[in-house]
Amino acid sequence: MNDVTRRDAPQVPTDREPEVETLLPPVDIFEDGNALHLVADMPGVTRESLHIEVDNNVLSLEGEVRLEMPEGLTAIYAEVRAQRYARRFTLSHEIDAEAIQARIDNGVVELVLPRKETHRRRRIEVKAA
């Protein structure tokens, strides 16, 4: 058990910003006939701190969790740090980058990456002779 009053406990620097750790968010990717669906787990990330862009067929997904010190308190021991999430994916030529849609709900980011019309699955009707 940690004794929070011990003087040899790790100290929080008060004269500079805390170091931000960069994590790879876990991602699941699913597909249907028309699109890929990417789901990334980024706990603590809000809509305002989420940045998604496509540049030269590379999809970048970034978010940051900032932890504010409660007003009037001084940290004497801190294990919880600010975190940054970053992940990059090279998009296939099948993906319509202009039509990508994104949403976030409780730190879960969902992207829909539609396929270009020319790359979508379609059923071919077979006619009797």
Side-chain angles (χ1 to χ4, degrees), residues 20-26 41-43 61 63 82-87:
V20 177
E21 181 180 8
T22 300
L23 304 172
L24 284 176
D41 191 21
M42 301 170 77
L61 180 63
Q83 297 182 119
R84 182 177 180 271
Y85 295 95
R87 195 85 186 248

Side-chain angles (χ1 to χ4, degrees), residues 5-124:
T5 61
R6 286 183 27 203
R7 292 292 167 214
D8 61 340
Q11 299 297 306
V12 176
T14 56
D15 59 339
R16 60 185 164 89
E17 280 286 312
E19 215 171 281
V20 177
E21 181 180 8
T22 300
L23 304 172
L24 284 176
V27 170
D28 293 327
I29 301 175
F30 308 96
E31 72 174 316
D32 60 28
N34 298 321
L36 297 179
H37 300 264
L38 184 146
V39 179
D41 191 21
M42 301 170 77
V45 172
T46 63
R47 181 178 169 272
E48 294 76 25
S49 66
L50 180 62
H51 180 76
I52 303 170
E53 74 175 26
V54 176
D55 183 25
N56 200 23
N57 268 7
V58 175
L59 172 69
S60 298
L61 180 63
E62 298 177 0
E64 195 164 332
V65 179
R66 300 301 287 166
L67 302 174
E68 301 296 325
M69 178 67 65
E71 191 174 323
L73 298 180
T74 302
I76 59 169
Y77 183 83
E79 291 181 337
V80 178
R81 296 275 193 244
Q83 297 182 119
R84 182 177 180 271
Y85 295 95
R87 195 85 186 248
R88 301 205 184 336
F89 300 90
T90 301
L91 297 178
S92 162
H93 65 281
E94 298 178 10
I95 301 300
D96 183 356
E98 298 297 319
I100 294 174
Q101 298 174 5
R103 61 182 237 116
I104 186 168
D105 184 26
N106 283 334
V108 177
V109 179
E110 297 179 40
L111 295 169
V112 177
L113 298 98
R115 289 188 168 96
K116 293 176 182 172
E117 192 67 39
T118 56
H119 289 83
R120 292 188 180 175
R121 285 188 208 156
R122 58 188 171 88
R123 184 171 177 92
I124 307 298

